[in-house]
Every structure is written in structure tokens, then in C-alpha cells.
Amino acid sequence: MIEISRLTKRFAQHTVVDDLSFSVRPGEVLGFLGPNGAGKSTTMKMLTGFLAPSSGTATIHGFDIQTHTLQAQRLIGYLPEGAPCYGDMRVRAFLEFIAEVRGYRGAEKRERVARVVAQLELEGVREQSIETLSKGFKRRVGVAQAILHDPRVLILDEPTDGLDPNQKYQVRELIGQLAKERIVIISTHILEEVSALCSRALVIANGRLLADDTPFELERRSRYHQAVTLVGDSPLDREALAALPGVAGVEDNPLEHSVTVLAQPGQVIFPQVNALIAAHGWRIRELDVERGRLDEVFRSLTRGEAA
């Protein structure tokens, strides 16, 4: 378990992380979400022992990261922002070096390196220098070094930043597999990452905790929760839609003959909308019910902090 209590970091007169407290249990994938400059990376660095807090504590499975640093760090796999590696080293040599730093020798070292090379599909670039790799492969090498020692806690700072859709999918699949028996914390500003990977999300801005909930519950805060979007073959009667019970309003969409019908808080309006479609005989090409829009909730939560 990870316990963070009143964690604070100041640089001169500027407070980057402000009295932050939360806990994470094994099996959870925690999305650490916030705009650029929110304090995400600084929190990760304090949690991993690379940066001392101004005040507060962080413990990893009972080991305080300040007073029992090595014991805590042995339990952590860490992918820093940008996945920095030694660019002049070849992939295999770099992973062998990391294995030796972790205390592995001989057959165990070779087995662990071979395992992560296979997991991250690095066989084709094993003898290539890291500086010549694409951004996607560099990111995979970074993830490989983070999981080489089979850590109980995996902390990933922007793990898919800059990857193409196929590479993102591969890394997300791997994280999903790794999360089954571990604590995984993913720091990101990419909203789709949270919906795709995380069982829980923290939203921070200016170093302060603004929300702590599941992605689904955060989406429920959106004014688009239970909204119904219609795309028709001809103009739709906005007034008739707006007059339906439980409807909060109707928005036009950029597509021709497309509207989004907003639900009042706590209301389900799909049956009424569907009945109106049937009554008018509208020809509808698309009909979608929304869970909510995480980007809208994120902007709503962080707008005041950013200002």
C-alpha cells in the first residue's frame, strides 16, 4: 500500500505540491491527472525518493521514502518523464546494466533481461544504440527497465506520450497485465489514458487535490451524462425535444441535422427521445447515449485553479 500524507514541496516562494494526501492499494491503477505544471511530476519524484519534500510523508508498503529510502525504492519500478536512458548504450547492454544495479548476476540477470525484451517486443533492436531508436522504442526501453526487477509498485510518468496509436495500445495492454498484482500509478495529462487504463483518478491543479473518484463517477459529473445525440436525414424538431420531460436543453452539433439533448441531473431521457423519434417518424442515422465527457469535467475542475 502507498500512503501519502500532507505532502508539500516548495521552491523558494513557489508551492508546487500543496498539502497532498491520498492512499493506493494493490490492484488499483491510479491515474494522476492534471494540466501541465500541476505538480504531477514533482509528486512522482518525491514518491520515488528522487526529490525531498518540504513537509509531509510518503510510505511504500510501510517503508518511509525518506527514512528507509533503499527499502522503499527496491519495491518501485519508475519510468520518469521523457523515459531518459543512456543514449550511447545498446538496448541489451543498458538493460543488463540496470539488472546489475538491481543486484542480479549470471543466469538470473540474463533471464530477466530476456523476459522484458520479449514483453516489450525489443528483440529487433537489442543491439541498436538507444539514441538511434524511435520515440516509441525509447519509451518501451524505459518501461522495460522499470519492470525488470518485478516491482510491487509501478510509477509511470506520461508512459504513452508521443507514441502512435498502435504503440499506445501495446503499452496499455502491458500496463493492464502488470496491474493485476501491483500498484500502478500513471501520471498523465492525456484524458483518454485515464478512461482506458485507470480504475481511479486523482485530479490536481497548482499542487492541490481537486477530485478523487473512479473515471465513471467523474464522467457522471458532466452535464453530458445521459445526454442523447441524434444524427438524422432531415432537420430535427428542437422545440419538441426540448419540451420532453427530464430534458435540460438541446445543443446543435457541427454535423448537419445533428443535435445533443441534455438530461437534467439524475434523469434518464433516452426512452422519451426514442418515443418522440417513433412518433414523428424521423429517420435517424446515429443515436448515442453518453456516459459523460471527462474533458468537460476536467476543465470545470481546473479552470479556477488555472486562473
Side-chain angles (χ1 to χ4, degrees), residues 3 8 20 47 56 89-90 106 210 244 251 265 283 295 301:
E3 291 275 1
T8 300
L20 197 62
L47 183 56
M89 295 185 74
R90 298 180 189 273
L210 304 180
L244 290 173
E251 292 184 352
R283 296 186 63 179
D295 60 339
L301 287 168

Side-chain angles (χ1 to χ4, degrees), residues 25-134:
R25 298 182 179 277
E28 283 190 303
V29 180
L30 178 70
F32 206 50
L33 184 62
N36 290 330
K40 303 186 301 296
S41 293
T42 301
T43 302
M44 300 296 100
K45 290 174 183 176
M46 289 191 286
L47 183 56
T48 52
F50 287 91
L51 191 63
S54 302
S55 61
T57 60
T59 60
I60 312 292
H61 288 292
F63 294 111
D64 189 292
I65 195 65
Q66 295 181 81
T67 59
H68 295 83
T69 305
L70 289 179
Q71 294 95 320
Q73 287 179 333
R74 288 190 185 103
L75 303 175
I76 298 171
Y78 179 38
L79 175 68
E81 185 179 16
C85 301
Y86 294 112
D88 59 340
M89 295 185 74
R90 298 180 189 273
V91 171
R92 179 179 55 79
F94 171 70
L95 294 174
E96 288 177 347
F97 166 70
I98 296 296
E100 289 177 3
V101 169
R102 290 288 183 182
Y104 302 114
R105 300 290 185 273
E108 187 174 18
K109 179 183 77 172
R110 291 191 295 273
E111 288 169 5
R112 286 184 175 271
V113 170
R115 175 174 57 83
V116 296
V117 165
Q119 278 184 294
L120 275 300
E121 299 181 1
L122 295 169
E123 293 93 341
V125 298
R126 280 181 302 179
E127 301 305 324
Q128 195 169 325
S129 61
I130 293 172
E131 65 188 358
T132 66
L133 298 177
S134 67

Side-chain angles (χ1 to χ4, degrees), residues 150-181:
D150 198 25
R152 295 174 65 185
V153 175
L154 192 57
I155 297 175
L156 308 173
D157 199 347
E158 307 286 358
T160 65
D161 186 33
L163 303 188
D164 67 36
N166 289 333
Q167 294 165 343
K168 285 184 179 182
Y169 177 80
Q170 291 171 346
V171 171
R172 287 171 182 172
E173 286 286 296
L174 177 64
I175 292 171
Q177 295 168 14
L178 294 170
K180 293 176 182 176
E181 298 176 355

Side-chain angles (χ1 to χ4, degrees), residues 232-264:
D233 286 336
S234 57
L236 303 169
D237 189 340
R238 296 176 80 263
E239 292 185 3
L241 288 164
L244 290 173
V247 169
V250 179
E251 292 184 352
D252 289 317
N253 296 324
L255 288 174
E256 188 178 10
H257 309 323
S258 175
V259 297
T260 296
V261 187
L262 304 176
Q264 295 174 2

